[in-house]
């Protein structure tokens, strides 16, 4: 979804984000945490002093796109994980593995009333 050192959402990702926005709009009781991730290539710029800021900026970019697509901002949370949770089994040892780690993950959070309903089953 992201080039190395960038928090700009790729064109390919916009269709995915719009699809996720539709799911959220059709399920108004669901909230979402958007976790941004980074590879382990050290970054130290004025804009992104570390991978933590870069990963949070990636999450924020996705959240902004979801809001633009019509999702209520109050239902979304931005989170950054830095390079602490590589998705690739190879960690960050290859270019392809690092590419996999430049991502966001979506965590759905059901409404609390739905959790109480599950407890009663």
């Amino acid at each position: 979804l992201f080039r190395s050192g960038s928090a700009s959402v790729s064109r390919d990702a916009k269709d995915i984000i719009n699809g996720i926005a539709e799911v959220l709009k059709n399920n108004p009781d669901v909230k979402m945490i958007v976790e941004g991730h980074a590879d382990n290539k050290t970054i130290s710029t004025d804009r992104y002093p570390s991978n933590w800021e870069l990963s949070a900026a990636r999450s924020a970019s996705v959240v902004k796109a979801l809001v633009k697509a019509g999702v209520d901002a109050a239902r979304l949370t931005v989170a950054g994980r830095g390079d602490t949770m590589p998705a690739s089994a190879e960690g960050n040892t290859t270019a392809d593995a690092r590419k996999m780690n430049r991502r966001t993950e979506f965590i759905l959070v059901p409404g609390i009333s739905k959790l109480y309903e599950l407890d009663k089953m």
Side-chain angles (χ1 to χ4, degrees), residues 35-113:
E35 279 189 349
H37 296 267
D39 61 31
N40 70 342
K41 286 183 78 174
T42 302
I43 188 166
S44 183
T45 66
D46 288 341
R47 186 172 213 174
Y48 308 120
S50 74
N51 283 334
W52 285 103
E53 284 88 358
L54 176 58
S55 67
R58 287 177 172 161
S59 173
S61 292
V62 171
V63 165
K64 287 177 188 177
L66 288 166
V67 170
K68 185 176 180 181
V71 178
D72 179 4
R75 297 173 55 201
L76 303 169
T77 300
V78 171
R81 291 287 196 161
D83 62 352
T84 63
M85 297 177 66
S88 170
E90 298 174 328
N92 284 288
T93 59
T94 66
D96 284 341
R98 285 189 294 276
K99 186 175 182 181
M100 285 180 61
N101 294 328
R102 297 190 297 267
R103 71 192 191 282
T104 53
E105 292 185 356
F106 305 96
I107 302 167
L108 299 176
V109 182
I112 192 75
S113 62

